[in-house]
Amino acid sequence: MTDTQLEKTLWSTADKLRANMDAAEYKHVVLGLIFLKYISDAFEARHQQLDQELSDPSSDYYVAEPAARYNTLEDRDEYTAENVYYVPPSARWKHLQSHAKLPTIGTELDEAMEAIERDNPRLKGVLPKIYGRPTLDKMRLGQLIDLIGTIGMGGSGHMSKDLLGRVYEYFLGQFADAEGKKGGQFYTPGSIVRLMVEMLEPYQGRIYDGACGSGGMFVQSDKFIEEHRGRKDAISVFGQESNPTTHRLARMNLAIRGIEATIELGDTLLHDAFPDLKADFVLANPPFNISDWNGEQLRDDRRWKYGVPPLGNANFAWLQHFVHKLSPKGRGGIVLANGSMTSASGGEDAMRRELVQANLVDCMVALPTQLFFNTQIPACIWFLARDRASNPQRDRSKEILFIDARQLGTMISRRNRELTETDIRRVADVYHNWRCQSASVGPNGEPPVTYLDEPGFCRAASIEEVEAHGFVLTPGRYVGTEDVEENEEYEELLQELGAELATQLAESAQLEDKIRQSLLSVGITI
């Protein structure tokens, strides 16, 4: 069985055990157990290694006295020194799984989580203590423990941990899908995150996400570094998340991947947790079109260098917040609703002009519809960059690259689409070729491929041309589909309304299906 098949099988089985429990609640039950299994496996791997060293007479660490050997094996410092969490005996997976069929298993799990937090201050307040609740079916909980206990069984400690990390990430995506609109609040679909990382290539420096959800941008950056044989310790990770439960998910998600990160809880726009941070890379997918962002309390904020954002929409507050975070050579990718490229309300057109004239807008990418779990509103990615005139690639200060990727992507379900690896490579290659077209070497040290405009897909437009279009930044307006773009805003509005209707119809169908199943369970067929 491949890893992908294994992930699907595990999800299918775990989802059956969910029964009638809401996905938003069940998510914390399952992900908490996966995390517990992960840190317990990591502990056991270190425990075995230590035991071999202490028991081997030829080893420098040999300890002859059994009691002294036991004390060393239970010494918390022996684990934390190796970046392994110490897991007390009553919280180890083998112990808990042996009690999985007992009615007390819920209470034991809660006590285990508390014990782990006591011994590992870095995890304080992170782990869920929800398993002892009377409403949680203990028989199903025991079955779930047995299921998660099979992950990584028979493999080495490293293989087990790696697989648990992938399963955690896969389950995050599946829960986001199951939760629909609410799911998008903690999860950005993987293909969008991969596209942003492939374009920005965050090899080293400080990476920041002020709307970090469950930490997907950081996990993908870490994978990118691993795939390109970079040094993981060459990056520093900073994130902020306003939702307490999502904040806990993020900290577990990063811990399970072994990513050292500073993730703060709080409202980023209202209470920036990193007021002095300047990041080399910003990757973010803030919530779209938020109207209740407390903008009236921030009228004089120093971040609004390009205009005060309107009270009724936070898009340009997010955009300027992330610009403010960029270091002198920093670059960023920010996902926003398509309206940010065309809107004239609340002075947004003037702010867009100021950003272009400040030479901050590097590239605009229009995304296909139906990529997100929580909204069908058309979206785009703003790629921003400081120092576009004298960075290592070439002077791009006279132009902006526009990429219209709306026709890319493949449907993966009735509701959702994703960008394929070929799609991601195509968009990222165009961007890199454009950035390096007069350079002697490409971004990876290879000879650069000459960039060419592709009608209907990509075009490098001059700043004068952008100005002639009133600083509207919709890629379709520049890549050669003007006949379609004449009624662009009207078409987008229709798209948004149609997409919202499709979402509501899909939710209605799901609700109808649930009602049918509930009635069927009591012998009523309709």
Side-chain angles (χ1 to χ4, degrees):
M1 184 183 290
T2 66
D3 288 346
T4 303
Q5 290 169 332
L6 176 62
E7 288 163 0
K8 287 181 178 176
T9 303
L10 286 168
W11 169 257
S12 174
T13 310
D15 199 41
K16 283 178 186 170
L17 292 172
R18 175 160 70 96
N20 295 321
M21 185 183 289
D22 185 71
E25 186 181 6
Y26 191 58
K27 169 181 69 195
H28 299 291
V29 173
V30 175
L31 296 178
L33 288 177
I34 293 175
F35 184 76
L36 180 60
K37 175 73 163 55
Y38 162 78
I39 62 170
S40 189
D41 281 9
F43 172 85
E44 291 296 342
R46 172 63 182 151
H47 188 278
Q48 286 180 16
Q49 179 197 20
L50 202 55
D51 194 22
Q52 286 175 1
E53 292 172 352
L54 296 171
S55 306
D56 182 359
S58 65
S59 167
D60 293 340
Y61 302 99
Y62 175 64
V63 176
E65 175 59 39
R69 193 185 307 156
Y70 174 82
N71 289 337
T72 305
L73 284 170
E74 293 299 326
D75 184 349
R76 179 178 169 278
D77 292 343
E78 295 289 348
Y79 298 88
T80 54
E82 298 293 326
N83 285 323
V84 173
Y85 292 108
Y86 174 76
V87 181
S90 62
R92 292 171 195 169
W93 188 265
K94 284 181 183 174
H95 171 80
L96 291 168
Q97 191 165 5
S98 69
H99 289 204
K101 301 297 187 293
L102 299 179
T104 55
I105 185 59
T107 306
E108 289 192 55
L109 277 169
D110 287 344
E111 291 173 352
M113 297 292 189
E114 287 173 359
I116 291 169
E117 288 190 359
R118 272 198 304 276
D119 276 312
N120 302 276
R122 283 166 57 199
L123 292 176
K124 185 172 176 55
V126 172
L127 305 182
K129 276 81 75 177
I130 53 177
Y131 299 97
R133 289 182 307 186
T135 52
L136 188 60
D137 186 323
K138 300 302 180 290
M139 187 184 76
R140 291 185 186 278
L141 178 58
Q143 293 171 332
L144 189 60
I145 291 171
D146 285 340
L147 175 69
I148 292 173
T150 63
I151 303 175
M153 187 183 292
S156 67
H158 177 74
M159 286 172 62
S160 170
K161 287 190 294 178
D162 192 42
L163 183 56
L164 281 160
R166 290 203 304 275
V167 169
Y168 188 97
E169 188 181 355
Y170 181 79
F171 275 32
L172 266 177
Q174 293 302 110
F175 277 121
D177 189 17
E179 289 184 44
K181 281 195 167 187
K182 292 179 181 174
Q185 295 171 6
F186 66 86
Y187 184 83
T188 302
S191 68
I192 300 174
V193 180
R194 283 200 298 280
L195 174 63
M196 295 168 72
V197 168
E198 288 293 334
M199 291 181 73
L200 291 175
E201 299 183 323
Y203 280 111
Q204 59 182 7
R206 286 162 291 190
I207 303 176
Y208 171 71
D209 182 354
C212 71
S214 53
M217 299 288 184
F218 303 135
V219 171
Q220 190 58 41
S221 298
D222 183 73
K223 287 182 187 173
F224 178 84
I225 292 168
E226 191 174 300
E227 288 166 5
H228 292 79
R229 301 178 186 279
R231 287 175 41 224
K232 289 191 175 191
D233 60 359
I235 61 167
S236 304
V237 171
F238 302 88
Q240 187 167 349
E241 170 57 42
S242 61
N243 184 304
T245 56
T246 304
H247 176 252
R248 288 197 287 271
L249 286 180
R251 291 181 63 185
M252 284 194 285
N253 193 18
L254 299 177
I256 212 169
R257 285 284 181 179
I259 300 172
E260 291 287 336
T262 305
I263 307 295
E264 299 292 346
L265 175 65
D267 185 317
T268 297
L269 294 178
L270 209 52
H271 302 291
D272 179 9
F274 307 99
D276 300 320
L277 174 71
K278 295 298 179 186
D280 300 290
F281 299 97
V282 169
L283 295 104
N285 173 25
F288 295 169
N289 302 325
I290 295 298
S291 57
D292 54 345
W293 61 285
N294 297 306
E296 67 280 359
Q297 300 181 40
L298 300 167
R299 292 292 85 188
D300 300 321
D301 198 283
R302 62 174 176 156
R303 291 170 291 184
W304 313 152
K305 188 176 177 182
Y306 307 98
V308 180
L311 295 177
N313 193 312
N315 286 347
F316 276 79
W318 283 112
L319 207 48
Q320 293 193 69
H321 171 79
F322 292 126
V323 169
H324 179 73
K325 288 295 180 195
L326 290 176
S327 70
K329 290 188 180 295
R331 294 190 292 131
I334 295 99
V335 184
L336 285 176
N338 270 9
S340 63
M341 300 189 290
T342 58
S343 170
S345 62
E348 291 184 339
D349 52 343
M351 284 179 264
R352 196 164 47 246
R353 181 192 67 225
E354 292 292 322
L355 289 166
V356 171
Q357 291 180 337
N359 200 20
L360 287 162
V361 182
D362 203 33
C363 173
M364 298 296 300
V365 177
L367 294 171
T369 57
Q370 297 177 274
L371 288 178
F372 295 87
F373 294 121
N374 62 326
T375 179
Q376 300 301 321
I377 293 175
C380 61
I381 309 177
W382 289 63
F383 285 94
L384 306 171
R386 290 198 189 275
D387 196 23
R388 298 207 306 146
S390 59
N391 67 64
Q393 273 71 43
R394 69 180 184 90
D395 181 359
R396 310 184 301 282
S397 59
K398 305 294 184 188
E399 57 189 53
I400 296 174
L401 178 65
F402 292 92
I403 301 175
D404 189 347
R406 289 179 298 174
Q407 302 306 314
L408 304 184
T410 301
M411 294 301 291
I412 55 171
S413 69
R414 188 176 54 179
R415 288 181 303 159
N416 291 109
R417 179 191 308 272
E418 74 173 11
L419 296 169
T420 65
E421 290 303 319
T422 302
D423 295 333
I424 293 169
R425 198 65 266 156
R426 183 183 178 194
V427 175
D429 283 349
V430 161
Y431 179 59
H432 293 309
N433 293 341
W434 171 73
R435 288 180 72 218
C436 301
Q437 64 176 307
S438 62
S440 57
V441 293
N444 298 317
E446 300 166 352
V449 177
T450 303
Y451 166 82
L452 295 172
D453 290 340
E454 291 182 44
F457 180 64
C458 64
R459 181 155 179 267
S462 68
I463 299 299
E464 289 75 17
E465 187 177 354
V466 174
E467 183 176 1
H469 281 284
F471 296 97
V472 166
L473 298 179
T474 312
R477 185 161 292 196
Y478 300 92
V479 301
T481 56
E482 288 82 355
D483 53 334
V484 175
E485 299 303 325
E486 284 178 359
N487 296 314
E488 189 173 273
E489 292 188 11
Y490 176 69
E491 292 292 338
E492 283 189 2
L493 179 61
L494 278 182
Q495 269 192 328
E496 290 183 17
L497 292 172
E500 285 296 319
L501 178 61
T503 301
Q504 290 171 6
L505 288 173
E507 290 175 352
S508 172
Q510 285 182 340
L511 184 60
E512 185 180 326
D513 189 47
K514 282 186 179 178
I515 293 172
R516 283 179 189 278
Q517 289 181 15
S518 297
L519 290 174
L520 190 61
S521 67
V522 293
I524 301 174
T525 305
I526 59 172

